[in-house]
Amino acid sequence: LSPRGGRSSSYAYPFFEINRGDCGYLLAIGWSGQWRAMFERREQSFYVETGLETACFRLHPGERVRTTSVMLMPYADGRENAYNRFRRFVRDVLSTLGHGQVSAQLPLCMELWGGIADEEMERRIETVAEKGIRFDTLWIDAGWHGDRCEPCDDPATGGWWLTTGDWFVNPCLHPQNLRNIRDLAQEKGMKFLLWFETERARKTSHFYREHPDWFLTLPENEDALLDLSRDEVLDGITEILTAQIEAIGIDCFRQDFNLEPLPYWRAHDEDGRVGLHEIRHITNLYALWDRLCKRFPSLLIDNCASGGRRIDVETLKRSVPLFRSDYSCWRNANPNFLQAQNIGAQRFVPFTGCASRGKLDLYTARSSYSAGWLSAHWSLGYLTLTEEELHML
């Protein structure tokens, strides 16, 4: 078994159970890239082998690298007890939630598309507050960045995606650097979440044109992968993100990743050093998140990756998946499917979030209830809510 494309839970979930009656083992892989797991049933035993899918390298003098880790938990008192113990271990030992200055609870969020201009954002925040609807966090998603000035009311309009990589606030849409939106949210009792996609940039972005040497590229693809395998790139992106978190006042840093990195890593590996781009990228990703959490002790990191495609033991140590599947993007998402995702994901992961959008009814909303929850009913520019629908919220 392996994931697809270099993200650890894309088409494969790095959490496993070997069971016989009330006895068995829970096994989890700690690696946020392209792991491999092999299971073999033998006559009186079970053989398991995990590691990187492709790695064949020599190290130069003084070099050190790490690869995958494995968490193995035996049990002899039934599966439900085992799942509960595993989740408690994640909660009490692995996760940052509830430790230090980080909240123990995932937020109840209100989403606004980042391409909506200030005036309309302010109107919606004020309206929701006037109706007595309470949220913990204001969630600003993609579309807030770059310098394109055409209307951008939803993901399908405007050229906002061409500026992916330009992590500065769009002055046409948000002339006050989003600080006014953050302050209004705080006035209404909400923290502030902002979307980034740190590891990807379009070749049309200012960031890529200014630092082409910071990226790995493929000739046929207009997306460039930030080369986190290099320490100087890690230092540079850390400075950029730190400056924005401080300037805007971000409480929750949402890191998306809408790119399969594996072809980039493999295309740039040297002969005799296959796998090193992946290893260094992944370990420097951990270093980036560790640096941000050290600099901002109360910061919550939301790990997205196209909706839940990088959930594993290592990311659970540093982040939470507030949007565990992009299936929640669909306005006609089947609520029964959302329940099935809850059942599957939360056997092992106590902290996940889900969105509710589309029709406003109690069954659909309850089907997406999780440790964290996002109301996306009024998130896009063209959406409207009647007085009756606001009351239902």
Side-chain angles (χ1 to χ4, degrees), residues 144-145 166-169 177 179 194 196 238-250 296:
W144 57 268
H145 47 86
D166 288 339
W167 306 126
F168 56 86
V169 180
N177 201 44
R179 187 72 197 200
L194 192 62
F196 290 81
T238 301
E239 290 180 12
I240 291 170
L241 297 178
T242 297
Q244 287 292 48
I245 293 170
E246 288 179 334
I248 300 171
I250 298 170
F296 306 100

Side-chain angles (χ1 to χ4, degrees), residues 206-325:
H206 296 291
F207 187 27
Y208 175 80
R209 294 198 299 268
E210 291 167 5
H211 299 282
D213 56 314
W214 283 18
F215 292 89
L216 302 179
T217 60
L218 295 175
E220 70 279 8
N221 201 322
E222 287 302 308
D223 287 322
L225 174 69
L226 189 71
D227 189 5
L228 270 180
S229 70
R230 296 166 50 200
D231 290 344
E232 60 269 33
V233 176
L234 169 64
D235 293 339
I237 195 65
T238 301
E239 290 180 12
I240 291 170
L241 297 178
T242 297
Q244 287 292 48
I245 293 170
E246 288 179 334
I248 300 171
I250 298 170
D251 301 296
C252 181
F253 171 76
R254 173 170 169 80
Q255 181 162 323
D256 208 344
F257 189 30
N258 298 301
L259 181 69
E260 293 190 343
L262 190 61
Y264 292 81
W265 292 332
R266 290 183 173 173
H268 291 85
D269 274 336
E270 304 170 28
D271 290 340
R273 288 165 66 81
V274 176
L276 286 184
H277 262 97
E278 174 183 350
I279 290 170
R280 289 185 173 136
H281 184 113
I282 295 302
T283 51
N284 273 348
L285 170 69
Y286 302 153
L288 171 63
W289 286 359
D290 290 343
R291 289 181 183 186
L292 292 180
C293 289
K294 183 176 181 180
R295 176 64 183 82
F296 306 100
S298 63
L299 185 70
L300 181 66
I301 295 178
D302 169 22
N303 163 35
C304 183
S306 300
R309 293 183 186 238
R310 200 153 61 174
I311 302 173
D312 57 77
V313 167
E314 291 287 352
T315 56
L316 289 177
K317 289 180 181 179
R318 302 165 170 86
S319 65
V320 293
L322 285 182
F323 202 83
R324 65 166 178 267
S325 171

Side-chain angles (χ1 to χ4, degrees), residues 183-202:
D183 290 346
L184 180 60
Q186 190 174 51
E187 178 188 320
K188 305 303 180 183
M190 293 186 285
K191 293 184 177 180
F192 191 76
L193 176 153
L194 192 62
W195 176 96
F196 290 81
E197 192 173 352
T198 307
E199 297 155 273
R200 181 175 72 98
R202 296 289 291 184

